[in-house]
Short mmCIF file of all heavy atoms in Angstrom, two decimals:
data_model
loop_
_atom_site.label_atom_id
_atom_site.label_comp_id
_atom_site.label_asym_id
_atom_site.label_seq_id
_atom_site.Cartn_x
_atom_site.Cartn_y
_atom_site.Cartn_z
N ILE A 49 -25.21 15.45 4.54
CA ILE A 49 -26.16 16.29 3.77
C ILE A 49 -27.55 15.59 3.63
O ILE A 49 -28.62 16.18 3.76
CB ILE A 49 -25.48 16.66 2.50
CG1 ILE A 49 -24.29 17.60 2.72
CG2 ILE A 49 -26.55 17.24 1.50
CD1 ILE A 49 -23.51 17.82 1.50
N LEU A 50 -27.52 14.28 3.25
CA LEU A 50 -28.74 13.57 3.01
C LEU A 50 -29.51 13.43 4.30
O LEU A 50 -30.74 13.52 4.31
CB LEU A 50 -28.44 12.20 2.48
CG LEU A 50 -27.95 12.18 1.00
CD1 LEU A 50 -27.61 10.76 0.55
CD2 LEU A 50 -28.98 12.85 0.09
N PHE A 51 -28.86 13.29 5.46
CA PHE A 51 -29.54 13.20 6.74
C PHE A 51 -30.27 14.56 6.99
O PHE A 51 -31.36 14.60 7.44
CB PHE A 51 -28.53 12.93 7.82
CG PHE A 51 -29.11 12.82 9.22
CD1 PHE A 51 -29.85 11.83 9.63
CD2 PHE A 51 -28.91 13.99 10.10
CE1 PHE A 51 -30.40 11.74 10.91
CE2 PHE A 51 -29.47 13.93 11.32
CZ PHE A 51 -30.25 12.80 11.74
N ILE A 52 -29.57 15.68 6.86
CA ILE A 52 -30.17 16.95 7.12
C ILE A 52 -31.31 17.25 6.11
O ILE A 52 -32.36 17.69 6.55
CB ILE A 52 -29.13 18.08 6.96
CG1 ILE A 52 -28.20 17.92 8.14
CG2 ILE A 52 -29.68 19.47 6.98
CD1 ILE A 52 -26.89 18.90 8.12
N VAL A 53 -31.16 16.88 4.85
CA VAL A 53 -32.23 17.05 3.89
C VAL A 53 -33.49 16.21 4.23
O VAL A 53 -34.60 16.66 4.24
CB VAL A 53 -31.80 16.84 2.44
CG1 VAL A 53 -32.95 16.71 1.51
CG2 VAL A 53 -30.76 17.86 2.03
N GLY A 54 -33.24 14.96 4.72
CA GLY A 54 -34.23 14.09 5.18
C GLY A 54 -35.01 14.64 6.37
O GLY A 54 -36.21 14.57 6.51
N ALA A 55 -34.21 15.26 7.34
CA ALA A 55 -34.82 15.79 8.45
C ALA A 55 -35.73 16.99 8.10
O ALA A 55 -36.81 17.21 8.65
CB ALA A 55 -33.84 16.29 9.51
N MET A 56 -35.26 17.79 7.14
CA MET A 56 -36.11 18.89 6.60
C MET A 56 -37.38 18.48 5.97
O MET A 56 -38.38 19.01 6.18
CB MET A 56 -35.23 19.85 5.70
CG MET A 56 -34.18 20.58 6.32
SD MET A 56 -33.22 21.49 5.09
CE MET A 56 -32.47 22.68 6.11
N ILE A 57 -37.24 17.44 5.17
CA ILE A 57 -38.44 16.85 4.51
C ILE A 57 -39.39 16.28 5.46
O ILE A 57 -40.66 16.48 5.47
CB ILE A 57 -38.08 15.77 3.47
CG1 ILE A 57 -37.35 16.45 2.31
CG2 ILE A 57 -39.20 14.97 3.00
CD1 ILE A 57 -36.70 15.48 1.26
N GLY A 58 -38.83 15.68 6.54
CA GLY A 58 -39.69 15.13 7.63
C GLY A 58 -40.42 16.25 8.42
O GLY A 58 -41.54 16.07 8.82
N ALA A 59 -39.67 17.33 8.58
CA ALA A 59 -40.36 18.53 9.24
C ALA A 59 -41.44 19.09 8.46
O ALA A 59 -42.50 19.50 9.00
CB ALA A 59 -39.32 19.57 9.52
N ILE A 60 -41.32 19.15 7.13
CA ILE A 60 -42.33 19.60 6.20
C ILE A 60 -43.61 18.65 6.30
O ILE A 60 -44.68 19.07 6.43
CB ILE A 60 -41.86 19.72 4.82
CG1 ILE A 60 -40.84 20.85 4.71
CG2 ILE A 60 -43.03 20.00 3.86
CD1 ILE A 60 -40.16 20.90 3.33
N ILE A 61 -43.33 17.29 6.22
CA ILE A 61 -44.38 16.38 6.27
C ILE A 61 -45.10 16.44 7.59
O ILE A 61 -46.38 16.29 7.72
CB ILE A 61 -43.90 14.98 5.98
CG1 ILE A 61 -43.44 14.86 4.53
CG2 ILE A 61 -44.91 13.92 6.31
CD1 ILE A 61 -42.73 13.60 4.19
#
Side-chain angles (χ1 to χ4, degrees):
I49 291 170
L50 290 176
F51 178 77
I52 292 172
V53 169
M56 288 178 162
I57 292 172
I60 293 172
I61 292 172

